[in-house]
Amino acid sequence: MSAIDTYDPDDGTALRELPRFRLEYLFDDERRPTEVTVFPAESGDLATNWITIDESHAVPLEDVR
């Protein structure tokens, strides 16, 4: 789904099944990281499918739930 796709909240398909995908990550510096970048493992298109955050604001994904 794109951010510009139309969405019909009454069609009954909204949150029936949540998407599942594997994530990978990279640090800006392995020894003293200051940023972490997270992206889908299967994407192949890193031009638009990533997010970077300062190390001080990052939390383990298992703690997000």
Side-chain angles (χ1 to χ4, degrees):
M1 171 180 249
S2 167
I4 59 174
D5 286 347
T6 58
Y7 169 70
D8 180 5
D10 298 322
D11 73 357
T13 61
L15 294 175
R16 228 178 253 159
E17 187 174 320
L18 296 175
R20 293 180 159 261
F21 47 88
R22 287 185 10 180
L23 295 174
E24 292 192 19
Y25 62 91
L26 294 172
F27 295 113
D28 61 334
D29 184 325
E30 286 292 326
R31 293 180 187 206
R32 298 188 76 149
T34 60
E35 294 179 342
V36 60
T37 299
V38 179
F39 51 92
E42 294 84 21
S43 172
D45 179 19
L46 290 181
T48 59
N49 294 312
W50 54 268
I51 186 168
T52 298
I53 190 165
D54 289 335
E55 176 271 333
S56 62
H57 292 95
V59 295
L61 289 175
E62 54 269 3
D63 291 350
V64 175
R65 294 180 177 211

